[in-house]
Amino acid sequence: METLDRLITAARAGGAIRRACLIGLTLLTGLAFGPARAGDDNYPSRSIDFIIPVPAGASVDTTSRFIGRALADVMGVTVVAQNIGGAAGGIGTAKLVRSAPDGYTMLLASNGVVAILPAINSNLGYDPIKDLVPVSQVMKYGLILVANPNAPFTDLQGLIAHAKANPGKVVFAHTGIGSVSHLATEQLKKMADIDIRQVPYVNASMGLTDLIAGRVMAYFFSPAEAVELGRDGRGRLLAISSTERIPLAPDVPTVSESGLPGFDITVAFNMYLPAKTPPAIVKKLEEFTRKATDSPTLKAALESRGVTVVGSTAEELVAITHKDIETYGKLLQDAGVEKK
């Protein structure tokens, strides 16, 4: 298996149920999923470290642990979850890069680790393109654009019209420069040709508080939390940033359906191994991952949180990564975000 940089070069040249007993939801760092299998000389023959590069207890941690359980089921070994948060996933990714390339340490990281961090941070200490081997895109989700319930519009076109009539007065929240919520806002601003203000928040909950209070008017938010806001009347759901509607919120149209065709900003989580991992092991893990993502239980559990299970091939992940690098890099450049 070629490393990601070589595969990207090749791509360019080529043109609602949940696990019983809440298995996978435990928030203790280092939780082990599944029984170990002894006496197997082939990969995997012992437990595997599963790096989740976010703090324990985060919503991404919860969904990632569903993946860990499903992998343990199909691999027949213990999968040990390790939460290594910090630097928007960079610290956990660095941990993977420094690990032995033997298939016994794997990483489930967002597309931001490869497509966004390198564009804004020159001190990562590793090259996400050269130092990571792609295995599979495991899951993805769009962000739902939520408006304050008292906003003077009920849909995306109404928001756009209001912004055009009040240039510089409509305020959007996002979770920091380079976050996917920031980039979704930048994409909307660009495609709709509207003049809006943006307020970055240290964490999502602070932005949510100000949205509910009316201090900001709109916010691209994670689907499960957004649906909850709409259900209890604290927010108005306008559109979702992905290309398809989701079962969790079937009545929420996509941004593309709402008058901005081609709009596609998606949070994705991909499986990686360190560079120099033997191709045979990479291929085996790809097969295990794709088998795990076929689980009806896993799909139902994640869809109940607004997450779509994917299970791509490594080659498909390369093409997806190439597209993300181009899309997010251009958005950051247009937004005037400089690399530090």
Side-chain angles (χ1 to χ4, degrees), residues 74 135 280-292:
V74 300
V135 176
I281 289 179
V282 178
K283 186 62 178 176
K284 278 191 174 183
L285 184 56
E286 177 192 322
E287 292 170 353
F288 282 128
T289 302
R290 298 186 70 194
K291 185 175 180 180

Side-chain angles (χ1 to χ4, degrees), residues 57-329:
S59 60
V60 170
D61 177 40
T62 300
T63 53
S64 297
R65 287 169 183 269
F66 278 116
I67 303 297
R69 177 62 205 176
L71 282 168
D73 287 345
V74 300
M75 297 178 81
V77 297
T78 302
V79 176
V80 183
Q82 295 187 357
N83 289 94
I84 305 176
I91 294 177
T93 303
K95 169 83 170 177
L96 175 84
V97 169
R98 294 192 301 268
S99 67
D102 55 10
Y104 288 94
T105 304
M106 58 187 179
L107 168 78
L108 185 67
S110 75
N111 49 351
V113 167
V114 170
I116 299 176
L117 277 181
I120 62 178
N121 190 338
S122 57
N123 298 306
L124 292 176
Y126 62 89
D127 186 330
I129 303 300
K130 294 180 179 180
D131 296 337
L132 299 177
V133 175
V135 176
S136 176
Q137 181 165 106
V138 178
M139 59 185 178
K140 64 181 181 179
Y141 60 88
L143 301 177
I144 294 181
L145 181 58
V146 185
N148 176 275
N150 298 314
F153 46 79
T154 58
D155 56 22
L156 180 59
Q157 284 301 316
L159 182 156
I160 293 172
H162 181 73
K164 287 182 179 292
N166 299 274
K169 294 183 179 180
V170 174
V171 182
F172 273 65
H174 64 70
T175 51
I177 300 300
S179 66
V180 179
S181 63
H182 170 226
L183 296 182
T185 305
E186 289 290 344
Q187 184 77 307
L188 178 63
K189 175 183 175 182
K190 178 181 178 179
M191 293 184 68
D193 191 25
I194 53 177
D195 178 11
I196 58 175
R197 291 171 53 204
Q198 300 183 51
V199 179
Y201 286 84
V202 175
N203 58 58
S205 61
M206 294 174 64
L208 176 60
T209 298
D210 279 359
L211 175 75
I212 295 171
R215 287 184 283 270
V216 299
M217 192 169 287
Y219 189 0
F220 277 101
F221 209 60
S222 56
E225 289 81 0
V227 168
E228 184 177 344
L229 290 176
R231 186 180 296 121
D232 63 20
R234 291 181 298 161
R236 182 178 294 156
L237 311 188
L238 303 184
I240 188 167
S241 67
S242 53
T243 58
E244 298 177 352
R245 298 191 186 196
I246 58 174
L248 182 64
D251 296 330
V252 178
T254 66
V255 175
S256 187
E257 288 176 311
S258 303
L260 298 177
F263 192 104
D264 181 18
I265 300 294
T266 304
V267 181
F269 286 84
N270 309 318
M271 191 73 73
Y272 296 102
L273 290 169
K276 300 182 181 180
T277 301
I281 289 179
V282 178
K283 186 62 178 176
K284 278 191 174 183
L285 184 56
E286 177 192 322
E287 292 170 353
F288 282 128
T289 302
R290 298 186 70 194
K291 185 175 180 180
T293 56
D294 280 338
S295 164
T297 301
L298 177 66
K299 289 180 179 180
L302 295 189
E303 284 180 359
S304 73
R305 303 183 64 82
V307 177
T308 299
V309 177
V310 182
S312 78
T313 65
E315 289 75 15
E316 289 169 337
L317 176 53
V318 169
I320 293 166
T321 300
H322 176 53
K323 179 177 179 288
D324 285 347
I325 289 172
E326 290 186 336
T327 299
Y328 295 141

